[in-house]
């Protein structure tokens, strides 16, 4: 085993160096820092894995080989090693571990390089970031530069992106612009979820779970052939958790409650019709019903001048005089048709989604106010309780695609795409700033119609046995019609209209060179595009909707993908640079619960990504992921309002450190990194499995580390996230030829508590990460 470990230690750094050397030039300081951190991370993880299995012998050739990973990043099934872009996948045991305890989609955050996911709404409205690029906007029609594709359907609205993860075959993370083949608002990348499909045999499973905080889960799958040509697959999940945070408000009365309990149910029904080998039709119907709480905004939990929690902080206590309620219903379906017409395969993908949403929360995070005692905890300058409602939403999409499947050096894909979305948003403020009138509701109504169409194509050409090249092109036309009206009887404003039309041509060019039978080098240059954005909460009579013009990305990346030690290990390493033009950003008001959309002239980023996995012995296997992301806003004239300046009260505001802006209460943000963009991320898993009795025992631990990041566009010590390391574990025993499994799990097992987000217009109000959870499951397969 020592020889095996030595070879691993020498191979990993050299391959990273090869990736860096084969790419475009980077600054020497950046390259040195990234290489040093990556090398140290790889050596440490390999040492831990090798040390744990030091008593094992090296497997002979042919044993313990890693399975081939097949991805559809280029809309074809391909070996991940042959795809010229940076890709990560999550599946199998790792996916089971990460979703233990009914974790929502945020379980992916930090578990693959350059990926972060957070939410100011709790289990709904996830916000995705890849390579530092994301969107902190909390408005319900906010677009994101990370596309989420679920079973080949683009989920545009953020409320559709939090669908529970169950009976999923594989998750693919495509890093960098995907403007050609996916195209729908994806200049940062795409996260693809592929559900397990119906098969022509009877199979399924039922899994029941219990955990702390009165958590109860049930998940089941039943797959059956109806005939020789029709197969059905039903998948469902039900997740419940009791309240775990007690309301300690001394004036609590009717309308107040304890917090953070929920019920979340979802199902998916699929029907595969395959009358012959040339034609198939896959029908998909799915729905979700969620009832619970929004995220808790906790007043005055940040120690001024630091990012520490205040002394004596207790996660299980929270004082509020408001109502916290959240309800979400989503329904959708899709039809995927595939016909093999000889040398050409035809595809039709039709999708329809609709949802209803209601979320009400006590945004000030406390009770009362300085003018309405008693109040607390700490200084409460004014009460803020708001609700956001989606009474009407629908999304329709249609794609037609043709692709070649004949032999020969030239292959192609071409298609058309259409998208149509209609959305209504009601934003309600249950409080005004006027003393003595805390319950006078006011609201704004927004309506948006969004239509888009695109034509796209790509060519793949095999130049030689060693070299393959690919080029793609996409034309996109977007149109948004938006109106907003503020209603506060008897005063109102509007309707105010904003219309945006945008057109774009995206392209990419990439190549793969086979350095040896086990090693491929790749390089890619690609553009990306996000359509203009509009929003208008209209808190005051003089308020107007804000908008941001389309953003465009240009990205370069290069790297190496290599199978090692007779396919017992696999490495993917890449370096990248990008620049964004007219980057869409979200600025807070500094005074009230509003956002404003702005464009930065330019944003740049560069970094390194590493994915490594290995079967270290018969019993031990490991995965390692690392990323370095260095982002910078470049706009010397851009400034934003900062925290809590409405009352100019030193007790309630933060301490911004950026250069003072042109007006009181503003800061310039030129040179700042993008918000919620940690510079370093590292993830690691180690699995041990062995036969015991007539079954198999396995234990797996997973860890994720990230450095700090800014919550907002400006910098302040209170609003800089602490470094965070979170770990999980799952231990299970399978018997009866895999028919039965009993498992125990723990998430955030060190119970680390840090502030993940904040409210920047009020009183050092913060949002926390999930506390330690644990439990057990029993599963039966049939």
């Amino acid at each position: 085993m020592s020889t095996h470990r030595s070879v691993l230690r020498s191979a990993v750094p050299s391959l990273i160096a090869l990736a860096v050397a084969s790419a475009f030039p980077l600054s020497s300081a950046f390259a040195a820092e990234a290489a040093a951190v990556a090398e140290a991370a790889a050596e440490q993880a390999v040492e831990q894995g090798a040390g744990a299995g030091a008593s094992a012998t090296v497997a002979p050739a042919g044993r313990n080989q890693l399975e081939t990973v097949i991805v559809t990043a280029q809309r074809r099934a391909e070996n991940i090693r042959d795809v010229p872009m940076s890709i990560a996948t999550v599946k199998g045991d790792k996916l089971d571990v990460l979703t233990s305890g009914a974790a929502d989609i945020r379980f992916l955050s930090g578990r693959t390089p350059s990926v972060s996911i957070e939410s100011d709404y709790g289990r709904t409205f996830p916000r995705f970031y890849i390579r530092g690029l994301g969107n902190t906007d909390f408005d319900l029609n906010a677009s994101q530069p990370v596309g989420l594709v679920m079973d080949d359907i683009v989920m545009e609205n953020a409320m559709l992106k939090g669908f529970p993860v169950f009976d999923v075959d594989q998750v693919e993370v495509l890093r960098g612009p995907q403007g050609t083949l996916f195209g729908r608002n994806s200049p940062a990348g795409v996260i693809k979820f592929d559900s397990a499909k119906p098969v022509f045999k009877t199979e399924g499973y039922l899994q029941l779970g219990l955990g702390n905080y009165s958590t109860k889960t049930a998940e089941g799958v039943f797959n059956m052939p109806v005939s020789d040509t029709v197969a059905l697959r039903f998948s469902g999940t039900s997740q419940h958790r009791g309240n775990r945070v007690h309301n300690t408000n001394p004036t609590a009365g009717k309308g107040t409650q304890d917090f953070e309990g929920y019920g979340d149910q979802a199902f998916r029904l699929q029907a595969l019709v395959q009358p012959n080998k040339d034609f198939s039709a896959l029908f998909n119907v799915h729905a979700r019903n969620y009832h619970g709480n929004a995220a808790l905004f906790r007043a005055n939990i940040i120690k001024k001048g630091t990012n520490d929690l205040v002394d004596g902080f207790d996660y299980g206590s929270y004082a509020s005089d408001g109502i916290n309620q959240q309800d979400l219903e989503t329904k959708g379906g899709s039809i995927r048709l595939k016909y093999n017409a000889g040398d050409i395969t035809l595809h039709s993908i039709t999708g329809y989604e609709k949802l209803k949403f209601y979320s009400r929360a006590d945004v000030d995070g406390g009770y009362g106010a300085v003018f309405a005692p008693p109040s607390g905890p700490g200084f409460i300058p004014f009460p803020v309780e708001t609700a956001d409602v989606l009474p009407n939403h629908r999304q329709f999409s249609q794609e037609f695609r043709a692709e070649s499947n004949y032999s020969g050096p030239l292959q192609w894909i071409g298609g058309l795409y259409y998208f149509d979305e209609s959305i209504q948003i009601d934003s309600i403020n249950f409080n005004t700033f006027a003393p003595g009138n805390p319950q006078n509701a006011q609201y704004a109504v927004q309506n948006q119609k969004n239509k888009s169409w695109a034509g796209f194509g790509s060519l793949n050409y095999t130049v030689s046995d060693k070299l393959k090249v690919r080029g793609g092109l996409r034309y996109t036309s977007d149109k948004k019609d938006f109106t907003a009206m503020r209603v506060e009887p008897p005063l109102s404003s509007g309707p105010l209209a904003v219309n945006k039309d945008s057109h774009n041509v995206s392209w990419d060019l990439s190549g793969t060179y086979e350095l040896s039978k086990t090693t491929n080098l790749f390089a890619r240059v690609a553009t990306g595009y996000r359509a203009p954005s509009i929003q208008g909460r209209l808190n005051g009579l003089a308020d107007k909707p804000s908008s941001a013009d389309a953003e465009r990305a240009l990205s370069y990346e290069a790297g190496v993908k290599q199978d090692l030690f007779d396919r017992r290990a696999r490495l993917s390493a890449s370096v990248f640079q990008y620049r964004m033009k007219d980057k869409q950003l979200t600025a807070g008001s500094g005074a009230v619960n509003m956002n404003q959309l702005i464009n930065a002239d330019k944003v740049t980023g560069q970094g390194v990504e590493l994915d490594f996995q290995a079967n270290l012995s018969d019993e031990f296997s490991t995965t390692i992921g690392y990323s370095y992301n260095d982002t910078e806003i470049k706009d010397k004239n851009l400034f934003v309002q900062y925290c809590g300046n409405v009352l100019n009260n030193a007790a309630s505001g933060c301490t911004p450190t950026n250069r003072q802006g042109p007006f009181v209460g503003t800061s310039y943000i030129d040179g700042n990194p993008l918000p919620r963009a940690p510079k370093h991320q590292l993830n690691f898993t180690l699995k041990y499995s062995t036969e015991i009795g007539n079954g198999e025992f396995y234990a797996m631990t997973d860890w994720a580390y990230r450095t700090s990041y800014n919550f907002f566009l400006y910098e302040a010590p209170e609003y800089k996230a602490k470094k965070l390391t979170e770990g999980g574990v799952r231990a299970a025993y399978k018997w009866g030829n895999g028919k039965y499994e009993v498992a125990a799990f723990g998430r955030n097992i060190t119970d680390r508590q840090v502030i993940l987000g904040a409210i920047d217009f009020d009183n050092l109000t913060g949002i926390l990460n999930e506390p330690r959870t644990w439990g057990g499951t029993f599963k039966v397969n049939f």
Side-chain angles (χ1 to χ4, degrees), residues 671-706:
N672 285 358
L674 288 170
R676 300 185 184 265
K679 186 165 285 190
H680 298 283
Q681 288 180 290
L682 176 67
N683 64 81
F684 167 73
T685 70
L686 180 65
K687 179 183 177 182
Y688 170 78
S689 62
T690 187
E691 293 183 1
I692 297 180
N694 294 321
E696 177 194 9
F697 169 81
Y698 78 86
M700 186 171 180
T701 184
D702 66 286
W703 293 86
Y705 166 80
R706 59 131 179 91

Side-chain angles (χ1 to χ4, degrees), residues 81-85 466-470 510-514 520-523:
R81 198 182 72 193
D82 297 329
V83 180
M85 71 174 70
K466 300 288 187 179
L467 178 63
K468 297 179 181 179
V469 295
R470 178 192 178 275
S510 58
T512 302
Y513 181 77
E514 185 181 288
N520 284 351
L521 302 179
F522 73 90

Side-chain angles (χ1 to χ4, degrees), residues 141-190:
N141 66 335
S143 68
Q144 297 182 359
V146 177
L148 187 134
V149 178
M150 196 167 293
D151 292 330
D152 285 336
I153 303 298
V154 174
M155 300 296 173
E156 180 70 10
N157 188 271
M159 293 305 162
L160 297 173
K161 298 182 179 184
F163 196 84
V165 180
F166 60 96
D167 196 28
V168 167
D169 193 27
Q170 180 168 273
V171 181
E172 298 178 23
V173 178
L174 318 181
R175 298 183 284 249
Q178 305 299 317
T180 302
L181 292 177
F182 292 96
R184 181 70 203 158
N185 291 338
S186 57
V190 163

Side-chain angles (χ1 to χ4, degrees), residues 571-765:
L571 171 73
S572 174
S574 60
V575 293
F576 64 87
Q577 280 184 333
Y578 64 78
R579 64 175 182 266
M580 307 286 294
K581 182 180 179 182
D582 294 327
K583 170 63 180 165
Q584 296 180 23
L585 299 174
T586 301
S589 73
V592 294
N593 189 28
M594 289 185 65
N595 281 336
Q596 181 178 2
L597 299 176
I598 57 177
N599 287 104
D601 285 346
K602 187 177 180 181
V603 167
T604 61
Q606 58 184 353
V608 170
E609 291 159 343
L610 167 73
D611 286 285
F612 177 78
Q613 63 184 121
N615 289 333
L616 302 174
S617 68
D618 288 345
E619 293 86 12
F620 285 95
S621 61
T622 187
T623 67
I624 305 164
Y626 167 75
S627 60
Y628 172 87
N629 284 271
D630 180 25
T631 64
E632 184 179 356
I633 300 169
K634 294 184 176 182
D635 191 330
K636 293 183 178 181
N637 298 317
L638 193 59
F639 61 91
V640 298
Q641 291 179 290
Y642 59 76
C643 47
N645 69 78
V646 64
L647 297 180
N648 197 25
N649 188 293
S652 65
C654 65
T655 51
T657 58
N658 289 128
R659 183 167 61 96
Q660 178 70 39
F663 306 106
V664 174
T666 65
S667 293
Y668 284 107
I669 61 172
D670 180 56
N672 285 358
L674 288 170
R676 300 185 184 265
K679 186 165 285 190
H680 298 283
Q681 288 180 290
L682 176 67
N683 64 81
F684 167 73
T685 70
L686 180 65
K687 179 183 177 182
Y688 170 78
S689 62
T690 187
E691 293 183 1
I692 297 180
N694 294 321
E696 177 194 9
F697 169 81
Y698 78 86
M700 186 171 180
T701 184
D702 66 286
W703 293 86
Y705 166 80
R706 59 131 179 91
T707 51
S708 63
Y709 56 78
N710 292 332
F711 295 156
F712 308 115
L713 294 173
Y714 62 88
E715 294 191 324
E718 296 89 349
Y719 295 150
K720 183 176 287 291
K722 282 183 174 293
K723 298 177 181 179
L724 177 62
T725 301
E726 285 187 322
V729 64
R730 180 182 175 94
Y733 182 68
K734 299 179 182 180
W735 72 97
N737 292 322
K739 183 175 182 179
Y740 304 101
E741 178 187 274
V742 60
F745 65 85
R747 306 302 304 161
N748 189 12
I749 56 179
T750 60
D751 202 21
R752 182 82 189 281
Q753 294 180 6
V754 300
I755 302 164
L756 295 182
I759 303 297
D760 71 336
F761 69 88
D762 204 346
N763 48 335
L764 299 179
T765 298

Side-chain angles (χ1 to χ4, degrees), residues 314-329:
D314 177 18
Y315 185 94
S317 299
Y318 175 68
S320 171
D321 59 359
I323 296 174
N324 190 307
Q325 179 183 342
Q326 196 170 95
D327 299 283
L328 173 64
E329 292 183 10

